Amino acid sequence: MSKAAGDVEDSVLHYLKQANRPYSAVDVFNNLHGQYGRTLVVRTLDVLAQSGQVKEKVYGKQKVYVADQQNCSTADDATLKGMDAELLQLGVRLRASEQQLQTSECQLRALQSTPTTPDACRSLQELQVACSGYEVRLHGLRNRDNGVSPQQRDEIRRANELCIREWRRRKRIAVEMLNAIMEGYPNSRADLLEETGFETDEACGVALPGR
């Protein structure tokens, strides 16, 4: 066996042992990122299978290869307990890191939503200008001679309330008439409205003010 062929076998066997799961020849070739040619990888896997270093299984038309577990070193109880303890510590560190990540993301979102100092200064200036304009307008409304007197406001309010009450009364009458007609009408309510030219508040885009 040449040195180059031995290097390929060592690389493929090392990968299968490290992955410790079944792979097809195409998977091994892809996972080695083109380090060796596809044909060479296929031939190497066949050689390793013949020598017993890897197990070959056939599923339909596809072959899969896995490292021989008997050739893998086994760990004693002390080593396994040490690995369990390390996994536990890594899990604690992972959860702490995830919590820290969530906290950092929340802080980042808060900072991103907070305006910068120049933006805040511009907004403050715009609001001050708007407030000054409103104050000038309010002063003019308070001091104009043709303003509405309290008596006129009361009259306008009473007239408005009277119109709303009449609107509500007429609507109630119209709805009662419509319901009475619908008791003997063979078609739908929409057909009756269209036939009679009856216009509802909803069709006109208006609504009675609240009581």
Side-chain angles (χ1 to χ4, degrees):
M1 180 177 61
S2 66
K3 181 178 180 181
D7 291 342
V8 179
E9 291 183 11
D10 291 341
S11 297
V12 173
L13 182 60
H14 175 73
Y15 172 74
L16 288 175
K17 287 182 177 180
Q18 189 178 41
N20 196 25
R21 55 166 292 183
Y23 280 115
S24 67
V26 175
D27 293 331
V28 175
F29 167 74
N30 291 332
N31 294 335
L32 291 177
H33 306 292
Q35 185 177 357
Y36 306 105
R38 180 172 175 176
T39 303
L40 180 58
V41 171
V42 173
R43 185 166 59 248
T44 300
L45 287 169
D46 289 337
V47 171
L48 291 172
Q50 292 173 2
S51 65
Q53 298 180 73
V54 300
K55 297 294 185 181
E56 176 187 275
K57 294 185 179 296
V58 180
Y59 297 95
K61 297 181 179 180
Q62 186 180 33
K63 294 181 180 180
V64 295
Y65 303 87
V66 63
D68 188 359
Q69 301 294 329
Q70 295 181 356
N71 296 328
C72 298
S73 59
T74 59
D76 55 21
D77 292 341
T79 302
L80 292 176
K81 290 180 179 179
M83 295 173 65
D84 290 339
E86 184 179 0
L87 286 175
L88 182 60
Q89 293 178 358
L90 290 174
V92 172
R93 291 172 56 187
L94 175 60
R95 288 190 292 273
S97 299
E98 290 175 344
Q99 183 63 39
Q100 180 62 38
L101 176 61
Q102 292 178 357
T103 303
S104 300
E105 289 177 344
C106 291
Q107 294 175 347
L108 177 61
R109 286 194 294 269
L111 290 173
Q112 289 176 339
S113 62
T114 302
T116 61
T117 300
D119 291 339
C121 291
R122 283 193 296 270
S123 299
L124 178 60
Q125 292 175 355
E126 292 173 358
L127 290 174
Q128 289 175 339
V129 171
C131 288
S132 298
Y134 292 143
E135 289 176 355
V136 171
R137 183 180 177 185
L138 180 60
H139 179 76
L141 292 173
R142 286 174 174 172
N143 294 278
R144 67 181 182 179
D145 296 332
N146 60 345
V148 179
S149 65
Q151 293 79 9
Q152 290 174 319
R153 284 198 299 270
D154 291 339
E155 292 177 0
I156 293 172
R157 184 171 59 253
R158 286 194 295 269
N160 181 61
E161 291 173 352
L162 177 61
C163 290
I164 292 175
R165 285 197 299 270
E166 185 65 16
W167 181 1
R168 187 173 287 109
R169 185 184 69 84
R170 294 189 179 189
K171 180 177 180 179
R172 184 176 62 256
I173 294 173
V175 171
E176 290 175 353
M177 293 177 57
L178 184 64
N179 290 337
I181 296 173
M182 281 299 301
E183 292 181 359
Y185 189 70
N187 298 327
S188 66
R189 189 184 186 89
D191 293 335
L192 177 59
L193 294 177
E194 182 177 358
E195 183 178 341
T196 59
F198 192 100
E199 295 182 348
T200 63
D201 291 345
E202 293 76 9
C204 296
V206 296
L208 271 170
R211 293 182 180 273

